[in-house]
């Protein structure tokens, strides 16, 4: 039985492909974007988090922790990860959901059952299932099996990827994939390494592979102030997209702060904690710059 560690299955999403969709978030990522909005999906393993403002101080979690891995010291995170074995007993004991488990091992059949429950919404909206992460293509075999089950049940399929995987991962899933959302973050490979942890040559090669396959692909740009909103990056991105698509288009995804609470829950530093969201006129300026370069451009809501 094929399994994968899933951090969340989110229903009724309208931002992750056409129509109303169910999004399956896989744990594990091949990149390390400094602005990541889903830090709980970076590690491939389950993790315990602590949401401080939900804690009532009842002490139940301390009573059940077999490793004495919890503390109330004001200068420390609630969980001592050097001791924690991620047994989940503290999560089970917490009635107020202050202790949370990020990641659950699920089979293909279990994920498909969760996806299929929302089928009525797909049928009325033209939606379906989207796999995301993390990097879902770390689990290409799992996704192929899931998508085959979806296709047999007339459920539309979509992959949300950052593209830093071996080409055969795409070759495995593209035959059963209806739609690809492909992130292009930075065109300069040195800057890509600085902010994202890897160079981008493999990503660009995979972007070309997907485009040449004839797949229905939308290239998306997480728009990060002072990182990739420069004139140089816009021109280079536009030139690349025009070189691989007959009708070039991109979508901007403006930076947001929705991941802040997850960084705190996991006790990890948020390197973009001080970064402020761009103003609407600034985002519109980037959009117009792409249009001026001959690339159709939209803004994700």
């Amino acid at each position: 039985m094929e399994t994968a560690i899933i951090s969340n299955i989110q229903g009724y999403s309208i931002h992750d492909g056409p129509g109303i969709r169910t999004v399956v978030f896989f744990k594990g990522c091949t990149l390390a974007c400094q602005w990541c909005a889903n830090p709980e999906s970076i590690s491939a393993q389950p993790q315990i988090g602590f949401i401080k403002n939900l804690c009532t101080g009842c002490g139940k979690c301390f009573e059940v922790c077999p490793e004495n891995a919890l503390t109330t010291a004001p200068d420390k995170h609630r969980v001592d990860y050097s001791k924690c074995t991620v047994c989940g007993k503290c999560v089970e004991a917490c009635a107020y959901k202050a202790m949370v488990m990020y990641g659950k091992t699920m089979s293909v059949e279990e994920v498909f059952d969760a996806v299929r429950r929302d089928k009525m919404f797909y049928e009325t909206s033209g939606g379906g299932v989207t796999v995301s992460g993390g990097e879902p293509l770390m689990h290409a075999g799992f996704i192929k099996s899931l998508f085959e089950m979806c296709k047999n049940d007339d459920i539309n399929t979509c992959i949300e990827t950052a593209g830093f995987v071996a080409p055969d991962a795409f070759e495995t899933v593209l035959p059963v994939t209806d739609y690809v959302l492909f992130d292009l973050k930075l065109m300069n490979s040195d800057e890509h390494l600085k902010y994202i942890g890897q160079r981008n040559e493999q990503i660009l090669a995979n972007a070309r592979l997907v485009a040449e396959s004839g797949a229905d692909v939308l290239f998306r740009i997480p728009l990060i102030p002072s990182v990739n909103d420069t004139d140089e990056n816009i021109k280079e991105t536009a030139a690349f997209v025009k070189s691989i698509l007959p009708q070039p288009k991109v979508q901007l995804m403006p930076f947001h702060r929705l991941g802040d609470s997850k960084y705190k829950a996991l006790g990890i530093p948020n390197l973009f904690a001080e970064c402020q969201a761009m103003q609407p006129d600034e985002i519109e300026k980037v959009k117009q710059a792409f249009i001026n370069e001959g690339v159709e451009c939209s803004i994700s809501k």
Side-chain angles (χ1 to χ4, degrees):
M1 180 189 301
E2 290 181 280
T3 63
I5 299 176
I6 307 299
S7 63
N8 187 29
I9 297 180
Q10 176 184 319
Y12 213 86
S13 172
I14 57 173
H15 303 296
D16 298 279
I20 297 171
R21 310 193 72 84
T22 297
V23 185
V24 181
F25 291 91
F26 288 77
K27 270 183 72 62
C29 194
T30 54
L31 299 176
C33 303
Q34 293 184 11
W35 53 81
C36 181
N38 295 315
E40 79 286 3
S41 292
I42 297 175
S43 169
Q45 301 303 316
Q47 295 168 284
I48 300 289
F50 173 62
I51 304 175
K52 185 176 181 180
N53 63 358
L54 296 181
C55 180
T56 64
C58 71
K60 294 292 185 182
C61 56
F62 287 87
E63 295 174 10
V64 300
C65 180
E67 308 298 333
N68 194 29
L70 305 178
T71 179
T72 57
D75 59 336
K76 295 182 179 180
H77 190 264
R78 172 59 59 93
V79 184
D80 182 343
Y81 291 112
S82 68
K83 297 180 180 179
C84 178
T85 60
V86 200
C87 69
K89 291 182 179 179
C90 60
V91 177
E92 295 171 2
C94 183
Y96 300 96
K97 301 189 184 302
M99 306 298 300
V100 294
M101 176 74 79
Y102 294 117
K104 176 184 178 182
T105 299
M106 298 183 70
S107 68
V108 175
E109 291 78 9
E110 288 173 322
V111 173
F112 176 69
D113 285 344
V115 168
R116 196 177 186 280
R117 292 185 201 125
D118 293 336
K119 189 177 178 182
M120 69 179 75
F121 298 112
Y122 315 149
E123 293 174 338
T124 57
S125 70
V129 61
T130 297
V131 294
S132 187
E135 177 49 68
L137 289 179
M138 292 174 66
H139 312 273
F142 185 103
I143 291 169
K144 179 184 178 183
S145 297
L146 173 64
F147 280 9
E148 286 174 341
M149 297 174 75
C150 289
K151 301 303 288 182
N152 288 336
D153 207 19
D154 295 322
I155 296 175
N156 180 275
T157 57
C158 175
I159 292 172
E160 194 169 42
T161 179
F164 190 69
V165 293
D168 60 8
F170 280 100
E171 293 164 358
T172 296
V173 301
L174 283 177
V176 287
T177 302
D178 293 309
Y179 200 62
V180 180
L181 300 173
F182 196 124
D183 286 1
L184 291 177
K185 304 174 194 289
L186 270 164
M187 296 304 294
N188 182 288
S189 194
D190 291 334
E191 291 290 291
H192 203 280
L193 177 63
K194 174 183 174 181
Y195 286 105
I196 299 169
Q198 299 286 351
R199 303 187 70 84
N200 69 359
E201 287 81 5
Q202 183 64 66
I203 294 170
L204 299 183
N206 282 333
R208 189 175 295 277
L209 181 156
V210 172
E212 291 176 351
S213 76
D216 191 352
V217 58
L218 175 62
F219 290 106
R220 305 192 304 174
I221 303 168
L223 193 58
I224 314 302
S226 302
V227 175
N228 64 353
D229 61 343
T230 64
D231 290 341
E232 180 181 13
N233 189 65
I234 292 169
K235 289 180 181 295
E236 290 182 3
T237 304
F240 176 73
V241 174
K242 286 193 292 185
S243 75
I244 62 175
L245 290 178
Q247 295 180 306
K249 60 181 178 179
V250 298
Q251 184 177 72
L252 306 178
M253 298 189 296
F255 172 80
H256 59 73
R257 304 288 298 276
L258 298 180
D260 287 4
S261 61
K262 298 175 185 178
Y263 282 95
K264 293 175 183 176
L266 289 167
I268 56 179
N270 181 357
L271 300 180
F272 271 66
E274 302 303 318
C275 183
Q276 299 301 313
M278 297 175 70
Q279 297 300 310
D281 62 322
E282 295 174 317
I283 301 168
E284 189 64 32
K285 182 180 178 181
V286 175
K287 174 184 174 181
Q288 190 59 50
F290 273 104
I291 294 172
N292 291 344
E293 292 294 326
V295 176
E296 180 184 340
C297 184
S298 61
I299 301 171
S300 175
K301 301 301 182 182

